[in-house]
Amino acid sequence: MSLRELVTGSDVCTPADGGAGPSNAMGSLANALVGRSSKTQEQLRELPGVHGLPGPSAFGGPQSTVDAVARAAAEGDFLDIPGIGPSAGFADEFLAQGRSQQQAGPLPPHFAAFEDIYRQSQRVGPRGPLPGLPPGQLGMQGPQLAPFLQAFLDSGKAGAQFQPLPMPQVPLSMEDQCQIRDRSTIMARHLFADRGDAFADEQVGKLLQSLHINPQALPAGSMQAGVSWDAIFHNAAPHHLMQPTMAADVAAGGQLAATAQQDSQWANEFAQLHLREEPSASANRWANEFQQAQPPAETWAQEFEQRNGPTSRWADEFGRQTAEGTTATSNAQAVDNGAALSQTRKLADTLAANKDPKFQNSKFLQFVSKMSRGEIILEDNQAKEATPSQIGGQWATEFAASDGGLDAAWRELGVAPSAWGEEFAAQNGVGSATGWAGEFAAQKGLDPAAATWADQFAEQFAPAEEVNQWMDEFAREIEGDVAAQRQNGGMEASMPGASGEYVMSADNPFLEDVDSFAKGKELFRHGVLSEAVLALEAEVQRSPGNVDAWRLLGIVHAENDDDQQSIAAMNKALAADPTNPEVLLSLGVSYTNELDQTRALSYLHTWLANHHVHGKVAASATPLPDSSQRLSWVVGLFQQAADQAPADADIHTALGVLYNLSRNYERAADAFRTVLQLQPRDYSLWNKLGATLANSSHSGEAISAYQRALDLKPNYMRAWTNMGISQANVGKYDASARYYVRALSLNPSAANVWGYLRTSISCAGRLDLMQAVEDEDLEALTRAQPL
Amino acid sequence: MGKASEPLFEQLGKTLKADGEQLAQKIKGLVLFKVDDDEWTLDLRSGAGSLTKGSPPNGEKPDLTLTMAENTFVQLVNGKTGPQTAFLMRKLKISGSMGMAMKLQPILDAAAPKAKL
């Protein structure tokens, strides 16, 4: 459900607020499935196959809809379902749409631009203020709430507990409060359907609490006395649960039945667009190739009809209509097949582009993906075993296994909810309905832990050994690694600083300055990072044994998003002071960033072993049971130490880093949040929390954490860069470019950020700025992309 | 000089260190990227895999060759477009194992910029 609807109130969920109702069924369905979806919704609306879903909410409740389906089936009509519209209107509207696209405004020169226009229209929706803006400028609570509610939505994606960030008191009217309560309840129950209502209510409770809304103080549901939350939910739920049926009908089957004509028209139009992009290609060629890519095999809908036969009146009727429609337009059938499949594929792509894991796992996406996979499999020269009938069967099985609410709707109709689906599946001999889902899960699943490195490492290092002895061996191991890398001549060894040697800047104006250390510290305090680097480099060149100067230099490089140089500087510091805890911790962080688990783990373990308080935990630990368990063993030690010292910020910070290393992002975020309660003004911790959230697909929440870091330290180049990454992750490429430009104005030598900036500018379609990037003209870029 | 794809490939190389084994188990093949004029060889046949600039060593034949403009590669990694769309729009040319091409997404994810602690 989009924030726009959540905040402005025009969705289907709240029946009695006079909202506008859903503008289309597909959009509402997507809303129900996706967290943030103004983007997806817009895209769906633009999809040719989904155009003709006009009108305000005409889903008058499950009964009337079901009746309509039954009636339509009995009469042999095209599915004359309220809210979807008859086929004629559908066609007219579609054609009008096509015409208006050609008349209103110039047609984009090629398809990419065509796509960009869609994207731009999506960006219009209020998605909250730019985080840099002070809330006061925005006046209304709506925009102010937006990022907050986004965070609430994002919290659901991995089933994480919602951790509200502190929120200033926002003046909300009673009506607003009711709306927030009602909508978030309904939404939460959709989002957390797999976690149960209690969990959803708990999340909502937290949301309301942090917004300073007391649910008890509000009138019951939608300002109507005596309606409970449950009632609201159950009133709203059938609307949504019915929509998959309708939407699926329309998107997949209904199209085949009566819109072959439009489809071919659409295909032609698409081909024309395509033509402009590749002048050599002809519309016919494109359409023809599509046909060739499709064998004359039936679509799933036809399969469905044939297999299912008399077992289901509805399916039978539906299938007959499909057949009629197909016969009536038989000369357009081939194009129709191609176009329908391409539509589905486009739909699948659009949906798959949404990275929301909740959505990625949704049944709807699985269904659409399967539709599109019909085509993929046929094109696949490996000739996967799946046949159209199997695909149809899987779909039916899954359909039957879908939400209980849907089943309930079917029951009202007097049809055994899953019987026909199972029968259909049985006829097709489909083995496992969850096969595809399983494959998907396996793809997305995380590997527990790499083992080989741990083996190697453990061979050289037994936990009982003396720390110093271990340090020696470790140093030797590192040298060996570096040598091996040099020998391999791999990519890493060719990167500057990868050899582990610190690279000094040339032409350092501070070299003659005897006071360079003090100046370096002062510059660092004022956030002038690049100058601080020069001053500190001058200092360490004069006195290479100055641990603090090396350490500060390492910190500055980390804040400037240069882990290689940071590591090199920290190693110099470590050479002078082998057990310096800050240095060890910082090395652990930097190697974690560089995804070098072996070294990150070593330094963090050394940090613990040398810790004046927690060292005894490491010393008294049971020996490592098995070398492949090293990561979890070290994490266990840290967890033990952290449990004993709940108020020790350092141990929780280290624990958070370790959990990042083990990909346990939820616990990592918890650890950082714990430290932030102790040290709320530590900007690097806010950044660590943000990075943890971003790397676990919570970019929305990450953005607010980065903002805290930047509020505390405006010249924190790493946080600006991270902010840019997160903005790109949520599809705001323009904003992302602005943050990268800002980061680069702080550290123009960050080559990777220049690359990211190109990426975002290219995705934002701002090719006019490419020359400025090419010239590394920050002034022009800042002018063009002001923050 | 600077290219948008370079830091992405760099990130892919780094991610291999942590996730290479997992990726290799999924892909089990030699993938050649032809991005504009650059070639990158991603060897995911065994172990943790490796990424090297240039065509496969010893004249080995890649299991899958992906040819595209840099802009397309960037959009794929950023999730702005999907492999299937790019393929349909003829922006991504695939030769070799289609089955392997279907498993492209984890590779693209591995090349995406990572936030730093």
Side-chain angles (χ1 to χ4, degrees):
Chain A
M1 178 173 317
S2 75
L3 279 169
R4 172 172 42 78
E5 287 173 355
L6 188 75
V7 176
T8 62
S10 61
D11 68 325
V12 71
C13 298
T14 312
D17 68 347
S23 49
N24 73 53
M26 199 66 122
S28 309
L29 167 67
N31 279 350
L33 293 169
V34 199
R36 48 178 157 79
S37 73
S38 60
K39 182 173 180 175
T40 312
Q41 191 185 1
E42 295 289 340
Q43 283 174 341
L44 287 172
R45 227 179 251 157
E46 299 298 346
L47 275 179
V50 199
H51 262 310
L53 302 176
S57 172
F59 299 113
Q63 196 57 54
S64 69
T65 317
V66 167
D67 282 345
V69 176
R71 200 170 51 244
E75 291 163 10
D77 269 335
F78 175 71
L79 290 178
D80 188 5
I81 300 163
I84 290 181
S87 50
F90 186 94
D92 287 343
E93 183 160 333
F94 177 81
L95 293 174
Q97 182 75 28
R99 271 180 237 115
S100 71
Q101 259 174 17
Q102 285 177 333
Q103 285 159 8
L107 205 63
H110 51 67
F111 198 71
F114 185 72
E115 209 173 44
D116 282 333
I117 287 178
Y118 291 157
R119 310 272 168 175
Q120 268 153 27
S121 68
Q122 292 143 21
R123 276 198 288 275
V124 175
R127 289 280 224 80
L130 266 183
L133 291 175
Q137 283 181 9
L138 290 146
M140 282 317 293
Q141 57 271 43
Q144 223 175 18
L145 281 174
F148 185 79
L149 295 170
Q150 182 67 47
F152 171 70
L153 286 174
D154 288 342
S155 79
K157 285 171 194 162
Q161 294 276 339
F162 174 52
Q163 302 281 357
L165 292 162
M167 181 78 183
Q169 185 84 38
V170 180
L172 291 168
S173 71
M174 183 65 83
E175 203 178 334
D176 285 341
Q177 294 188 18
C178 280
Q179 283 199 358
I180 290 173
R181 180 201 57 186
D182 295 347
R183 287 157 205 278
S184 54
T185 305
I186 291 161
M187 191 172 54
R189 294 201 184 184
H190 280 296
L191 287 173
F192 308 121
D194 48 339
R195 307 281 297 261
D197 286 356
F199 180 80
D201 288 344
E202 192 190 333
Q203 298 279 83
V204 174
K206 280 188 194 165
L207 173 75
L208 295 179
Q209 193 190 358
S210 56
L211 282 172
H212 313 285
I213 297 173
N214 177 6
Q216 268 82 41
L218 296 179
S222 299
M223 314 294 256
Q224 290 167 0
V227 184
S228 72
W229 289 22
D230 280 314
I232 297 168
F233 177 65
H234 289 301
N235 280 337
H239 294 262
H240 284 286
L241 293 172
M242 277 313 292
Q243 283 162 19
T245 346
M246 316 260 270
D249 287 348
V250 175
Q255 289 293 303
L256 289 177
T259 60
Q261 205 63 51
Q262 290 116 271
D263 281 342
S264 58
Q265 192 125 7
W266 176 80
N268 283 335
E269 266 178 36
F270 182 81
Q272 276 159 23
L273 283 169
H274 203 69
L275 179 65
R276 286 159 200 260
E277 187 198 13
E278 291 186 7
S280 64
S282 80
N284 281 342
R285 198 185 89 194
W286 183 84
N288 285 341
E289 285 197 17
F290 239 139
Q291 290 175 37
Q292 281 159 16
Q294 317 305 323
E298 303 84 346
T299 64
W300 66 267
Q302 287 165 298
E303 279 294 328
F304 184 85
E305 169 220 357
Q306 286 166 7
R307 307 281 168 158
N308 210 20
T311 51
S312 155
R313 192 183 52 146
W314 175 82
D316 191 25
E317 286 294 333
F318 180 73
R320 209 182 67 214
Q321 287 159 23
T322 308
E324 279 166 12
T326 314
T327 318
T329 58
S330 58
N331 55 351
Q333 190 184 9
V335 178
D336 171 33
N337 282 345
L341 266 158
S342 76
Q343 274 175 32
T344 325
R345 241 177 288 135
K346 187 108 176 21
L347 183 61
D349 276 328
T350 308
L351 300 175
N354 190 318
K355 290 211 186 296
D356 185 337
K358 184 88 191 167
F359 183 59
Q360 285 287 337
N361 287 312
S362 73
K363 288 188 165 53
F364 180 63
L365 181 58
Q366 290 177 17
F367 160 68
V368 174
S369 294
K370 252 176 258 158
M371 283 294 296
S372 65
R373 277 158 71 96
E375 182 269 330
I376 294 161
I377 287 158
L378 293 168
E379 272 194 2
D380 188 348
N381 56 11
Q382 286 199 329
K384 282 187 185 167
E385 67 275 29
T387 66
S389 70
Q390 281 174 316
I391 296 162
Q394 247 176 351
W395 173 78
T397 315
E398 192 155 59
F399 188 72
S402 65
D403 296 345
L406 189 57
D407 287 350
W410 279 105
R411 243 176 245 119
E412 284 181 39
L413 184 60
V415 178
S418 54
W420 63 264
E422 275 159 11
E423 206 167 320
F424 179 57
Q427 279 176 13
N428 281 286
V430 172
S432 148
T434 54
W436 186 85
E439 199 179 309
F440 184 83
Q443 264 184 19
K444 289 275 165 185
L446 282 175
D447 196 49
T452 39
W453 64 265
D455 287 344
Q456 287 174 354
F457 182 71
E459 276 166 24
Q460 300 188 19
F461 170 45
E465 280 171 358
E466 290 288 319
V467 168
N468 284 343
Q469 195 184 339
W470 175 81
M471 284 298 296
D472 287 348
E473 290 197 23
F474 179 70
R476 239 175 283 142
E477 193 203 27
I478 299 263
E479 279 163 26
D481 272 12
V482 170
Q485 275 170 9
R486 286 202 180 118
Q487 275 177 354
N488 289 343
M491 194 178 73
E492 194 194 355
S494 68
M495 290 192 300
S499 58
E501 268 309 308
Y502 189 86
V503 183
M504 293 287 177
S505 316
D507 302 329
N508 191 334
F510 290 93
L511 274 180
E512 305 303 318
D513 194 335
V514 286
D515 206 18
S516 56
F517 189 32
K519 284 188 179 158
K521 284 197 274 192
E522 193 61 22
L523 287 165
F524 171 67
R525 225 186 331 273
H526 286 99
V528 194
L529 298 182
S530 297
E531 277 73 16
V533 167
L534 292 175
L536 291 167
E537 282 182 356
E539 171 62 22
V540 296
Q541 273 169 293
R542 206 174 310 106
S543 43
N546 188 337
V547 176
D548 285 335
W550 277 117
R551 185 173 67 81
L552 194 55
L553 192 51
I555 291 172
V556 176
H557 278 302
E559 293 191 1
N560 251 342
D561 206 34
D562 188 342
D563 280 303
Q564 296 286 357
Q565 284 279 74
S566 173
I567 287 170
M570 288 296 182
N571 272 325
K572 293 277 190 188
L574 200 64
D577 181 359
T579 59
N580 186 307
E582 283 101 347
V583 172
L584 287 166
L585 192 52
S586 173
L587 279 167
V589 172
S590 284
Y591 277 120
T592 302
N593 286 335
E594 294 290 292
L595 300 171
D596 190 333
Q597 287 178 325
T598 315
R599 291 178 195 172
L601 201 49
S602 314
Y603 284 116
L604 289 171
H605 186 251
T606 313
W607 177 87
L608 188 70
N610 285 292
H611 197 277
H612 61 283
V613 178
H614 307 302
K616 61 179 186 292
V617 175
S620 65
T622 51
L624 181 66
D626 170 8
S627 54
S628 67
Q629 307 291 311
R630 172 156 296 274
L631 177 59
S632 54
W633 181 76
V634 175
V635 171
L637 287 184
F638 272 79
Q639 185 69 63
Q640 199 183 334
D643 289 346
Q644 289 174 13
D648 183 328
D650 286 349
I651 186 86
H652 287 280
T653 307
L655 187 62
V657 175
L658 266 175
Y659 276 131
N660 263 287
L661 209 53
S662 64
R663 306 293 170 87
N664 195 339
Y665 294 114
E666 217 168 296
R667 301 200 92 156
D670 285 346
F672 290 135
R673 286 194 182 99
T674 306
V675 197
L676 279 168
Q677 284 179 351
L678 304 166
Q679 303 179 346
R681 296 192 59 78
D682 185 333
Y683 53 84
S684 79
L685 279 172
W686 282 109
N687 178 65
K688 286 182 175 69
L689 174 62
T692 304
L693 293 166
N695 288 337
S696 54
S697 309
H698 291 69
S699 285
E701 280 174 86
I703 286 169
S704 28
Y706 294 142
Q707 192 55 55
R708 294 293 295 263
L710 290 169
D711 289 346
L712 292 163
K713 174 133 189 170
N715 283 356
Y716 192 178
M717 190 267 182
R718 167 159 285 175
W720 288 109
T721 305
N722 282 340
M723 187 75 115
I725 294 173
S726 276
Q727 296 284 359
N729 283 345
V730 298
K732 294 181 181 172
Y733 302 107
D734 221 37
S736 156
R738 289 167 207 274
Y739 286 106
Y740 289 143
V741 168
R742 181 63 177 265
L744 286 165
S745 70
L746 295 167
N747 178 13
S749 61
N752 60 329
V753 183
W754 280 108
Y756 297 161
L757 175 62
R758 283 162 196 274
T759 303
S760 281
I761 281 183
S762 150
C763 286
R766 293 296 305 271
L767 299 178
D768 54 314
L769 295 177
M770 270 306 180
Q771 192 54 47
V773 179
E774 201 61 50
D775 301 341
E776 308 210 341
D777 185 350
L778 276 169
E779 213 173 296
L781 288 167
T782 312
R783 257 198 321 274
Q785 299 280 78
L787 197 64
Chain B
M1 51 144 288
K3 291 196 169 153
S5 59
E6 208 125 305
L8 302 178
F9 277 113
E10 222 164 81
Q11 181 64 50
L12 177 57
K14 270 184 201 168
T15 310
L16 284 184
K17 283 196 283 187
D19 295 334
E21 214 160 322
Q22 188 191 334
L23 265 179
Q25 277 169 14
K26 250 180 258 169
I27 311 289
K28 295 195 186 77
L30 187 62
V31 183
L32 175 64
F33 287 90
K34 290 185 174 178
V35 178
D36 281 355
D37 299 330
D38 288 340
E39 295 195 348
W40 295 83
T41 301
L42 178 62
D43 186 348
L44 288 173
R45 286 174 297 192
S46 61
S50 69
L51 178 71
T52 46
K53 202 164 179 182
S55 39
N58 314 323
E60 281 176 291
K61 197 175 175 300
D63 299 300
L64 171 66
T65 305
L66 301 161
T67 310
M68 70 200 107
E70 178 169 74
N71 195 30
T72 305
F73 179 72
V74 160
Q75 298 204 352
L76 283 173
V77 170
N78 259 276
K80 199 192 174 190
T81 190
Q84 295 177 28
T85 314
F87 178 65
L88 281 170
M89 311 261 291
R90 298 163 180 282
K91 288 181 172 173
L92 168 65
K93 295 201 171 58
I94 297 174
S95 69
S97 161
M98 264 301 170
M100 208 176 280
M102 291 297 116
K103 299 183 232 163
L104 194 55
Q105 197 56 50
I107 298 178
L108 297 174
D109 290 343
K114 291 258 280 173
K116 305 272 181 68
L117 294 178

